[in-house]
Amino acid sequence: MSGPTRPRAVLVGPMGAGKTTVAELLATAWGTTARDTDRDVEAAEGRTISDIFVDSGEEAFRTLERAAVAEALATHDGVLALGGGAVLDPGTRELLAGHRVVFLRVGLSDAVKRVGLGTARPLLLGNVRGRIKALLDERTPIYEAVATVVVDTDGRSPQDVAEDVLAALADVAPEGEA
């Protein structure tokens, strides 16, 4: 029997990178399922992430997120998309070691276009463009540090990005299969 269940790939990156969309395309290509830890948190809590931030605060959300990521990494064998801030947690970064982690890199202009200025994202209250730039500046080195491969998404369709991910991962064996 093989070892513990592991995702085929884990997608990380900022909001607007296309993690959920690309995860679904990869899952279809591989004949498996896609899972999004933000959706897991919302389902478990029965409320949106925005409501969790407003009612309970970011720290409470990050605790829920950490648990959702740990559970998904241990039990999901398809494609996993993490929330944009999940990699901020040192424990989560440790859990990602040994997984095939794909950083979907997006630039400021494309991220702003994809997220939109009328967003309901709690970390973007106020100056959306300025907040996205600050988040990209803060988080990009962390995404790069946990990534097995990096795929640029700017100006590209989700299908093109998914094809690049498939090609990049074809050369990266899952842990234990090298």
Side-chain angles (χ1 to χ4, degrees):
M1 182 98 200
S2 64
T5 300
R6 299 177 74 74
R8 292 280 304 259
V10 180
L11 305 184
V12 299
M15 59 186 82
K19 298 178 299 288
T20 302
T21 302
V22 172
E24 290 167 357
L25 291 168
L26 292 172
T28 298
W30 281 325
T32 189
T33 58
R35 183 167 172 181
D36 181 311
T37 57
D38 279 351
R39 290 180 182 163
D40 289 351
V41 170
E42 289 179 336
E45 289 295 300
R47 53 191 175 143
T48 66
I49 290 170
S50 292
D51 286 345
I52 296 168
F53 264 79
V54 169
D55 297 341
S56 306
E58 182 175 0
E59 186 176 334
F61 168 72
R62 295 295 176 204
T63 299
L64 296 168
E65 180 179 53
R66 181 181 318 113
V69 171
E71 195 274 334
L73 287 171
T75 63
H76 185 63
D77 63 358
V79 183
L80 184 60
L82 302 190
V87 298
L88 298 176
D89 181 72
T92 296
R93 291 194 301 270
E94 287 178 23
L95 290 173
L96 289 172
H99 288 277
R100 298 192 316 172
V101 179
V102 179
F103 168 30
L104 297 182
R105 182 168 36 211
V106 62
L108 177 60
S109 179
D110 277 40
V112 170
K113 286 179 205 165
R114 294 175 189 172
V115 171
L117 297 177
T119 183
R121 296 178 188 253
L123 289 179
L124 296 184
L125 295 175
N127 175 355
V128 174
R129 186 178 178 84
R131 288 294 300 140
I132 291 176
K133 181 180 183 332
L135 290 172
L136 289 174
D137 291 347
E138 171 192 7
R139 296 176 179 179
T140 295
I142 300 170
Y143 296 134
E144 290 171 342
V146 300
T148 308
V149 297
V150 178
V151 175
D152 288 306
T153 68
D154 284 358
R156 305 180 66 218
S157 73
Q159 187 62 48
D160 286 343
V161 172
E163 288 171 10
D164 273 8
V165 171
L166 290 168
L169 290 180
D171 297 329
V172 180
E175 184 175 284
E177 294 180 21

